[in-house]
Structures are given as C-alpha cells and as structure tokens.
Amino acid sequence: MTRSEQFTNGMKKGFVVALSSAPFGILFGAIAVDNGFSLAEAALMSALVYGGASQLVGIELFGHHVAAWVIVLSVLAVNFRHVLYSAALAPIIGRFPLIQRLLAFFLLVDPQFAETEKREEAGKPVTVLWYMSMGGVVWVGWVVNTMIGAFFGSLIGDPKAIGIDVLLPVYFLGLTMGFRTRHNFFPVMLAGAVGSVASYHIVGSPWHISVGAAFGIAIAAILPPPAQAGEQKDIAGLEKEPG
C-alpha cells in the first residue's frame, strides 16, 4: 500500500471505531458532570487517561469519595488487560522508532489492538502511518464525544433507564467474538467468563476483570499451541493406521 492508502485506510478504521464508541464517550461525559466534574475536567480525563471502562469506574468512585489509592488500584485492575495487549503487539510496535513507539502504546485501546492484530494476521503491513492515523481519529473522537456528553448530559437523565449502561459490555463482547476463529478460543473465553462471574460475586467489581483475565491466561498456557495440537492429531492418525 502507498502512504496515501495507508493513511486513508487508517482514517476509515478509526472513524468506524469513533462512531461506534460515541455512546460510551457521551455516557462518560454525562456521568462525569453528574459527579461534579466540569466540561474541561471531563475532557482532560478522556484525553490523558484514555480508557473508557477505567474512566467509568474511576468517575463512579470519585463520586463516592473513595480514597485515592483505591481509585488507582481499581483503574489498574480494569486496565490490566492493556499490559497483555502491549506484550502481544510488542513485535509489531517494536519496529517503530522510539517516540512513535511510546505514542503507539498510549493509543493502544481495545479496538486498536483488535484491528492491528487482524491486519497483521491478514499479511498487511502495520506501519506507523496506518497505526497513528487510526489511533488519532479514535482519540479525537473519544475526547469530542466526552465533551458532547458533558455539555448535554442533563438531557440524558438516568442512563440505566434507557439501557445505555449495557452498551459497554455489548461492545466488548463484539470485540471478543471477533477472535472466535482463533485456536482454543472457546475454552479460554469460557474460563475467563467463569472466573470473572465467580470473582464478581466473591470479591466484587472491578477486580473480577483482572481475575477473569488471569483465568483465561492460565487455560491458554495449559492448552497446547496450534502447532502441537496439529502434531498430536497427526500422531493419533498414525496410531490408527494398521502396521
């Protein structure tokens, strides 16, 4: 792809993500203002923290006047998956120059990870230009949508009354199902779901997110990788052959 095509493709991907995540940004802006934040403070949090789920958790804890260290640990628990994202994309982002690499890790949110992985698997080059153009559009869209929600937040009312609170789980489910063709997807997903639901009832939110991720990682580490699974099938087939 030419540089122009890389830029255009990245912008298109970013625009789709920004459009689909608009309700979350608007919801966060409305909740932030409802918890005493100004429009500028809500926009600044979106610009610097840049993590929808962790921002929603943090803003709720701010509203309940929880200790700062509890808020930090809660945000860490929610965003721990980004450590895994960084490790998974290290071979790709590691090709970028240092400054672009640092910026790339900052822009590494859920849809950025998903699209980057899919592009790499399809054999298409993940260039700095493509990555930054997509990530930049998503980041700008997130901040703008936050400001819209903060400005018109009073018109939304109670998000739960109109079902907006379920948009984030549905969005994450859609991202997860995008990897359903991967090896061992269903046992890993099931382990993560069981671990998350169980820990939600035992230790509560937001720790169930990290615990569910840990369960999924443990099962993924135990199960054989694709190559070994294929070798085992070949061995089983040879054992069935006579002689």
Side-chain angles (χ1 to χ4, degrees):
M1 298 178 69
T2 65
R3 290 181 60 83
S4 176
E5 290 172 334
Q6 294 170 23
F7 178 75
T8 302
N9 184 269
M11 292 281 287
K12 288 180 179 178
K13 293 287 185 181
F15 180 76
V16 171
V17 173
L19 187 62
S20 62
S21 62
F24 314 138
I26 294 173
L27 174 62
F28 168 74
I31 292 178
V33 170
D34 189 55
N35 281 273
F37 276 49
S38 67
L39 188 152
E41 290 170 338
L44 186 62
M45 186 175 185
S46 282
L48 297 181
V49 178
Y50 190 43
S54 59
Q55 287 179 224
L56 288 171
V57 169
I59 209 71
E60 288 289 345
L61 294 177
F62 273 124
H64 289 85
H65 306 289
V66 178
W69 67 270
V70 175
I71 297 175
V72 172
L73 287 179
S74 299
V75 170
L76 176 63
V78 174
N79 269 8
F80 182 76
R81 68 188 187 280
H82 288 260
V83 176
L84 307 179
Y85 292 167
S86 300
L89 294 187
I92 300 173
I93 298 179
R95 303 193 295 255
F96 297 176
L98 178 60
I99 300 300
Q100 288 91 331
R101 192 185 314 157
L102 296 176
L103 181 57
F105 281 123
F106 171 75
L107 295 174
L108 185 54
V109 290
D110 301 284
Q112 188 80 27
F113 169 77
E115 291 297 335
T116 302
E117 278 284 283
K118 290 177 183 178
R119 187 174 180 84
E120 187 74 6
E121 288 182 353
K124 300 176 182 178
V126 178
T127 63
V128 174
L129 182 60
W130 177 88
Y131 189 101
M132 296 301 176
S133 58
M134 176 185 171
V137 171
V138 178
W139 180 82
V140 170
W142 178 252
V143 176
V144 170
N145 288 323
T146 295
M147 296 174 67
I148 294 173
F151 189 79
F152 295 103
S154 59
L155 301 178
I156 297 177
D158 183 9
K160 295 182 179 180
I162 55 179
I164 296 181
D165 60 312
V166 303
L167 291 177
L168 192 62
V170 170
Y171 177 69
F172 277 117
L173 179 61
L175 286 178
T176 302
M177 293 306 296
F179 294 95
R180 62 187 179 279
T181 58
R182 285 198 166 190
H183 180 72
N184 288 334
F185 169 80
F186 287 101
V188 171
M189 182 191 68
L190 181 61
V194 171
S196 180
V197 172
S199 60
Y200 179 81
H201 292 284
I202 297 173
V203 299
S205 176
W207 304 103
H208 66 292
I209 298 176
S210 295
V211 174
F215 269 70
I217 293 170
I219 295 299
I222 294 173
L223 294 174
Q228 292 184 11
E231 291 172 1
Q232 291 175 0
K233 289 181 180 179
D234 293 339
I235 293 173
L238 290 173
E239 290 176 347
K240 292 180 180 179
E241 292 182 1

